[in-house]
Amino acid sequence: DRGDAIDSSLGLACKIVVANSAKVLSVIRAFQHSKKLRTAFEKLSKSEHKFIDTIGLSAENVIFYGAPGSGKSYKIDEECDENNSKRITFHPDTQYSDFVGCLRPSMNGKDVQYAFRPGPFTNAIIAADKSDDHFYLVIEEINRASAAAVFGEIFQLLDRGSDGESVYSIDLSDADMADFIRNAAPNLLTDGKLKIPSNLSILATMNSSDQAVMPMDTAFKRRWRFEYLPIDFRESPNGKFLIPVSGSVTPVSIEWSAFALIINDILEQNQIPEDRLLGPWFLSQDELIDIQPASNALKGKLLLYLWDDVLRHGEHAVLFDSDISGFGNLVKRLSDGESIFNEDVEAKILSAAEQVENVSEDVSLNSDELEDDTQDA
């Protein structure tokens, strides 16, 4: 109830930081060299964040968007699991019948019979009606299909009231669907009309940099709350690449996060849109678990994305050596241990590797001093 609650809390936090500033470098070094310590704090930080704070208490329609690997699906997975959600991934051939349901044939012994087969949307509203808790319909890659066409008449239900329930109801044009819902969850229909219940949120992911995306019209977009997920490398998979550079006999070892930040920095300097940059989870921990899988991910996924998608309009020299004629030539040079990046990228890679080496030497010296002090004690 205090008006200065936020101010005083922030002030106290700042005082704690200042009072312990002499220890900050030691803490940074400890985290850098102790995977066990990083893992422990990663688990602690995840347990403190509640997804419900992001989407609000009442049901709503939310689209999470951002650069590839920024953690859109991970954000949703913090709250959703197989027990409280239904999922679908949109693709260019996704239709209304896939999403909502339709009458389909099936075999009953030797006879063919027809029955309504519900899609994820129908299953989700029925599950929400039967649940006392919040339920979620999750749509991955919502803009890889013509979303307004896939939703069809359901489009009208996306307007939500303050309690999360649809403002408007619709008469179901599909009599088989109406009968199915009436039998499975009769409370969903009022005078034969359908609304989205107040405990069903629709969560979707969208990557606007994808070449295969479908545009969304304004009427459809205004019925959603868009939440942008920024690129944040404070939490990312751990792993290293071996990058050959000009004038060096051995390749340079660089952390995935440091490498990605270098690439993003140069792309931003060249006015490449942020939704085409590299997110921290563009590569998974399994892809970076060792040098060989990291090398495969570098060639078969990361460089392919940069060459074919990000720099596809003749902008390859922004990152790569101007003598490289095509992606096949790029992979061959990398496999042969030859440099592939331009001078600007190489300089930044060498600088990042040198900083890590200097920190490692400082930590080693401090460890020796600590050992000497301990022996003296």
Side-chain angles (χ1 to χ4, degrees):
D1 295 332
R2 286 172 48 190
D4 66 339
I6 296 178
D7 294 346
S8 61
S9 298
L10 181 59
L12 178 60
C14 292
K15 290 177 182 177
I16 293 173
V17 172
V18 172
N20 293 276
S21 59
K23 303 293 184 182
V24 171
L25 186 56
S26 299
V27 172
I28 292 173
R29 288 169 175 165
F31 270 88
Q32 181 183 2
H33 294 278
S34 173
K35 184 176 181 179
K36 186 176 180 181
L37 185 63
R38 293 196 300 270
T39 301
F41 270 78
E42 183 178 335
K43 291 180 179 178
L44 180 64
S45 64
K46 287 180 180 178
S47 67
E48 292 176 348
H49 288 83
K50 297 298 182 182
F51 182 74
I52 196 67
D53 292 337
T54 303
I55 65 165
L57 296 176
S58 61
E60 56 181 337
N61 314 314
V62 187
I63 293 179
F64 297 96
Y65 71 104
S70 55
K72 299 180 286 293
S73 296
Y74 179 80
K75 182 81 170 176
I76 291 176
D77 288 342
E78 285 185 314
E79 183 63 22
C80 300
D81 56 41
E82 60 182 12
N83 297 316
N84 68 355
S85 64
K86 300 292 181 182
R87 290 175 178 264
I88 182 174
T89 300
F90 280 8
H91 54 82
D93 292 329
T94 302
Q95 300 177 7
Y96 174 86
S97 57
D98 302 311
F99 182 55
V100 178
C102 65
L103 195 66
R104 293 181 179 176
S106 63
M107 295 301 298
N108 182 15
K110 295 182 179 181
D111 299 326
V112 177
Q113 64 180 18
Y114 287 83
F116 180 80
R117 296 288 184 86
F121 173 81
T122 303
N123 284 328
I125 60 173
I126 291 174
D129 179 70
K130 295 180 177 180
S131 176
D132 294 328
D133 300 318
H134 211 94
F135 205 84
Y136 304 93
L137 172 60
V138 178
I139 304 171
E140 298 281 3
E141 308 289 349
I142 190 171
N143 60 334
R144 286 182 63 82
S146 177
V150 173
F151 272 78
E153 62 185 358
I154 304 302
F155 175 91
Q156 186 71 19
L157 302 180
L158 293 179
D159 281 308
R160 304 290 193 109
S162 58
D163 62 350
E165 187 180 61
S166 296
V167 173
Y168 308 107
S169 59
I170 61 169
D171 288 306
L172 292 175
S173 59
D174 188 336
D176 297 300
M177 178 182 176
D179 289 340
F180 183 87
I181 293 176
R182 190 176 292 110
N183 292 328
N187 293 331
L188 279 174
L189 298 178
T190 303
D191 296 327
K193 297 179 180 293
L194 177 68
K195 286 186 176 184
I196 295 177
S198 60
N199 66 328
L200 176 64
S201 285
I202 305 178
L203 310 180
T205 64
M206 182 179 80
N207 178 16
S208 57
S209 70
D210 196 322
Q211 297 183 56
V213 299
M214 301 277 190
M216 290 183 181
D217 59 62
T218 303
F220 186 82
K221 288 194 293 185
R222 74 175 182 82
R223 288 167 166 82
W224 297 78
R225 178 170 68 82
F226 284 75
E227 181 167 327
Y228 176 72
L229 295 186
I231 297 173
D232 186 356
F233 274 88
R234 289 178 296 180
E235 184 178 349
S236 65
N238 297 313
K240 296 181 179 181
F241 295 131
L242 295 179
I243 306 294
V245 296
S246 304
S248 177
V249 178
T250 58
V252 175
S253 175
I254 184 170
E255 289 281 347
W256 148 244
S257 57
F259 178 76
L261 288 171
I262 289 172
I263 298 300
N264 285 348
D265 182 51
I266 294 177
L267 292 177
E268 284 185 303
Q269 291 176 15
N270 286 271
Q271 286 76 52
I272 301 297
E274 187 171 340
D275 63 359
R276 291 163 65 186
L277 304 184
L278 300 175
W281 302 99
F282 185 90
L283 297 179
S284 68
Q285 187 62 67
D286 289 339
E287 291 172 314
L288 297 167
I289 195 169
D290 205 350
I291 291 299
Q292 188 55 52
S295 176
N296 295 337
L298 176 65
K299 289 183 286 189
K301 184 174 180 179
L302 178 55
L303 294 181
L304 181 63
Y305 170 69
L306 293 173
W307 186 275
D308 279 355
D309 293 338
V310 179
L311 304 174
R312 63 183 180 272
H313 298 302
E315 304 160 310
H316 299 119
V318 167
L319 294 175
F320 301 106
D321 189 334
S322 58
D323 292 336
I324 297 177
S325 57
F327 183 72
N329 181 224
L330 180 144
V331 173
K332 184 179 184 304
R333 285 181 53 162
L334 181 62
S335 300
D336 292 342
E338 300 178 23
S339 62
I340 60 172
F341 293 107
N342 62 33
E343 293 180 356
D344 189 15
V345 178
E346 288 191 346
K348 291 180 181 294
I349 290 174
L350 289 170
S351 176
E354 184 179 352
Q355 290 178 11
V356 172
E357 185 177 347
N358 291 336
V359 171
S360 299
E361 290 177 356
D362 290 343
V363 171
S364 178
L365 290 173
N366 289 340
S367 299
D368 292 340
E369 293 173 0
L370 178 60
E371 185 176 350
D372 293 340
D373 291 342
T374 302
Q375 291 175 350
D376 291 342

